[in-house]
Amino acid sequence: MAALRYLVPALAVAGRAAAQCSAAATTTLQSAADASALSSCSTFSGSIAIATGTTDAIALDGITRITGSLVADNVTQITQLSGDSLAIIDDSFTLNSLTILSTLSFPRLESVATIDWTALPALQGLSFTTGVQTAGSVSIINTQLATLDGIDLTTVDSMTISNNDYLDDINMQIGNISTSLIIEANGRNVSASFPNLEWAYNITLRNVTAVSMPSLASLNGSMGFYANFFTSVAAPNLTTVGGSLSFVSNEDMTNITFPELKTVSGGLQVANNTAIKSISFPALETVGGALDFNGNFTSVTLPDLEDVKGAFNLQSSGDIDTACSHFEPLSGSNNVIKGTYTCAGGESTVGGTGTLTPGTNSGGSSTSSSATSSSAANAVLFSGATGLMGVVAAIFGML
Ligand SMILES: *[C@@H]1O[C@H](CO)[C@@H](O)[C@H](O)[C@H]1NC(C)=O
Ligand SMILES: *[C@@H]1O[C@H](CO)[C@@H](O)[C@H](O)[C@H]1NC(C)=O
Ligand SMILES: *[C@@H]1O[C@H](CO)[C@@H](O)[C@H](O)[C@H]1NC(C)=O
Ligand SMILES: *[C@@H]1O[C@H](CO)[C@@H](O)[C@H](O)[C@H]1NC(C)=O
Ligand SMILES: *[C@@H]1O[C@H](CO)[C@@H](O)[C@H](O)[C@H]1NC(C)=O
Ligand SMILES: *[C@@H]1O[C@H](CO)[C@@H](O)[C@H](O)[C@H]1NC(C)=O
Ligand SMILES: *[C@@H]1O[C@H](CO)[C@@H](O)[C@H](O)[C@H]1NC(C)=O
Ligand SMILES: *[C@@H]1O[C@H](CO)[C@@H](O)[C@H](O)[C@H]1NC(C)=O
Ligand SMILES: *[C@@H]1O[C@H](CO)[C@@H](O)[C@H](O)[C@H]1NC(C)=O
Ligand SMILES: *[C@@H]1O[C@H](CO)[C@@H](O)[C@H](O)[C@H]1NC(C)=O
């Protein structure tokens, strides 16, 4: 220990005499000259930060590896940040609040532990020729990027892509995502395509216009689709969801195609998707939590259902008499549906699990006659075509 104490200052002096190729913690650069002073450092040991007041273009040319982080936080006057040889950043590549940064050029960059970019309102593209293939965690929030060309990962722990208003294309070769994927509030026409993704721990997609995950076979945790703009969503190879699966407020969605889905260990929720009329999970056997469908649908098809451990709630403004008649006999503690059973059609407002009296079973309307209730629901549903008299007739029929 005593020897080491003397050694450290000696090394620091030697370092200062030659190029400063290491920093006990962080070296802070203020100018282009500070950056070019590092050009003989093939490996920089430590972290590099760009000072807040920097106005020069910063070129970290010559450096191939930074063993710590590269950080530019609140450098509001910088327009260009580059590094012609930088291949590896062992820790974080953090860019935050760089108001006028328009050029980010790292043509050799391929591996970064963490990409953490927030508030880059002038950044429209990346000049990453090789492309980042390895990153533990990626968070890209509030940029003007139109594509993520230059970031093409094969694996990632977690990835958040949000509030990038011009981003219309997210397409990555990722095979698995070990923690989470969150995509939300990007370009109005954004498509999310993960052709090779086989499994993910957790996926949340909001405000997406198209989604493609043809290879997705399982989720350890949950997957949720919220307020998306697509008309169809498909997961042709998905068999298992370890947590919950949710489809909420996807207003244009008319088609859910999950033909191989057998097991959802948590809840299965299809709620407030205004346009969907027909819900079918042809291979679904087990739901570990609640099965909760509410909306305007008229058809629910679950031919292989064997075990619903939680509540079972179907509520629709449409006529679901056929569905209620089919599922009601499957309820009961030793039966397929073990939790609280509720099923109601022809409702003016629909709600989730727990909003109806347990045991409710009235597919077409709140009256007990299914013939009357189904015609009432049809009249209401097609009132645009049949006119006011149809609605009036339906109301009198119900009384
Ligand atoms: C950003 O830097 C400016 C000076 O350049 C400073 O006045 C401001 O407080 C900083 N903001 C944050 C959030 O650090
Ligand atoms: C994760 O995906 C990568 C790339 O496709 C693959 O090489 C690796 O074997 C996968 N790991 C697991 C555990 O599935
Ligand atoms: C939306 O993106 C698709 C391709 O993903 C394209 O064909 C279509 O023209 C785009 N629509 C608009 C309005 O930009
Ligand atoms: C779907 O799963 C099957 C068997 O698990 C596999 O052979 C096939 O390649 C998968 N399809 C895609 C598009 O990944
Ligand atoms: C998640 O699922 C994948 C694929 O089934 C599996 O390889 C991985 O070990 C699981 N991860 C955890 C943490 O359970
Ligand atoms: C996992 O996904 C579900 C459904 O999208 C979401 O509600 C939850 O917040 C996600 N959890 C994490 C840690 O991303
Ligand atoms: C995006 O999704 C969120 C949450 O699901 C929702 O509140 C928001 O209104 C959506 N934005 C748009 C533009 O649809
Ligand atoms: C629903 O989407 C699937 C593929 O995603 C397609 O094969 C099928 O024809 C669609 N069904 C309807 C009724 O549009
Ligand atoms: C569905 O919409 C209603 C009314 O806007 C709202 O109260 C309810 O919370 C929504 N349900 C879900 C699951 O978002
Ligand atoms: C049912 O459809 C009507 C009109 O299309 C819409 O206003 C309402 O929000 C929908 N309800 C649900 C729960 O999707």
Side-chain angles (χ1 to χ4, degrees):
M1 284 326 269
L4 192 63
R5 226 175 276 142
Y6 289 106
L7 198 60
V8 170
L11 269 177
V13 170
R16 215 170 289 139
Q20 283 267 39
C21 291
S22 65
T26 300
T27 282
T28 300
L29 310 180
Q30 316 219 13
S31 65
D34 287 356
S36 52
L38 302 180
S39 63
S40 64
C41 304
S42 173
T43 294
F44 185 88
S45 301
S47 294
I48 296 177
I50 317 295
T52 304
T54 304
T55 54
D56 290 356
I58 296 293
L60 295 165
D61 294 344
I63 302 174
T64 59
R65 176 172 184 177
I66 296 172
T67 66
S69 298
L70 173 57
V71 178
D73 188 4
N74 189 27
V75 190
T76 55
Q77 298 304 308
I78 195 172
T79 58
Q80 294 184 36
L81 180 61
S82 62
D84 64 3
S85 310
L86 189 61
I88 301 171
I89 301 174
D90 286 34
D91 198 348
S92 174
F93 187 4
T94 299
L95 303 176
N96 179 37
S97 298
L98 308 183
T99 321
I100 59 172
L101 181 80
S102 57
T103 301
L104 193 62
S105 176
F106 290 89
R108 299 278 157 267
L109 192 61
E110 56 185 55
S111 171
V112 180
T114 302
I115 288 180
D116 186 356
W117 298 346
T118 309
L120 309 175
L123 186 66
Q124 297 182 343
L126 305 173
S127 301
F128 287 16
T129 316
T130 301
V132 179
Q133 282 136 36
T134 310
S137 142
V138 173
S139 171
I140 301 179
I141 299 173
N142 184 14
T143 75
Q144 255 191 30
L145 291 172
T147 76
L148 298 178
D149 288 356
I151 300 178
D152 198 0
L153 307 169
T154 50
T155 68
V156 73
D157 293 335
S158 64
M159 182 155 73
T160 298
I161 310 288
S162 75
N163 295 85
N164 301 288
D165 291 351
Y166 293 83
L167 186 59
D168 273 342
D169 183 27
I170 300 171
N171 186 334
M172 290 193 195
Q173 304 307 311
I174 300 177
N176 42 66
I177 297 173
S178 54
T179 304
S180 83
L181 171 66
I182 299 172
I183 294 180
E184 61 189 5
N186 295 296
R188 176 59 181 80
N189 195 30
V190 70
S191 73
S193 181
F194 294 89
N196 300 330
L197 184 64
E198 289 181 10
W199 61 268
Y201 201 95
N202 214 67
I203 297 180
T204 303
L205 298 179
R206 295 188 163 92
N207 321 120
V208 167
T209 299
V211 56
S212 170
M213 298 185 175
S215 307
L216 185 64
S218 66
L219 285 128
N220 317 69
S222 299
M223 176 153 75
F225 300 91
Y226 306 92
N228 293 291
F229 307 114
F230 47 66
T231 53
S232 284
V233 59
N237 248 16
L238 183 66
T239 58
T240 313
V241 177
S244 295
L245 177 61
S246 309
F247 304 84
V248 177
S249 300
N250 302 289
E251 296 202 342
D252 299 331
M253 183 180 74
T254 54
N255 184 347
I256 299 175
T257 302
F258 280 50
E260 303 294 332
L261 182 65
K262 279 196 169 58
T263 306
V264 177
S265 300
L268 175 59
Q269 182 185 34
V270 180
N272 285 1
N273 304 288
T274 316
I276 198 163
K277 293 291 177 228
S278 172
I279 302 170
S280 172
F281 290 98
L284 184 67
E285 292 174 357
T286 304
V287 177
L291 185 150
D292 185 3
F293 296 172
N294 58 78
N296 287 328
F297 51 84
T298 49
S299 156
V300 176
T301 309
L302 306 168
D304 286 359
L305 199 61
E306 286 173 0
D307 188 17
V308 178
K309 294 191 170 64
F312 181 99
N313 175 58
L314 300 186
Q315 290 189 41
S316 179
S317 60
D319 176 359
I320 52 169
D321 209 37
T322 306
C324 294
S325 306
H326 174 78
F327 291 112
E328 203 272 341
L330 303 180
S331 67
S333 52
N334 295 319
N335 213 329
V336 172
I337 296 166
K338 298 177 181 60
T340 304
Y341 173 87
T342 48
C343 190
E347 296 203 298
S348 54
T349 58
V350 298
T353 302
T355 56
L356 290 177
T357 311
T360 299
N361 190 56
S362 58
S365 76
S366 52
T367 63
S368 53
S369 156
S370 65
T372 304
S373 50
S374 76
S375 67
N378 283 337
V380 171
L381 268 179
F382 300 118
S383 61
T386 57
L388 187 60
M389 287 316 289
V391 178
V392 171
I395 291 167
F396 278 95
M398 287 163 69
L399 289 172

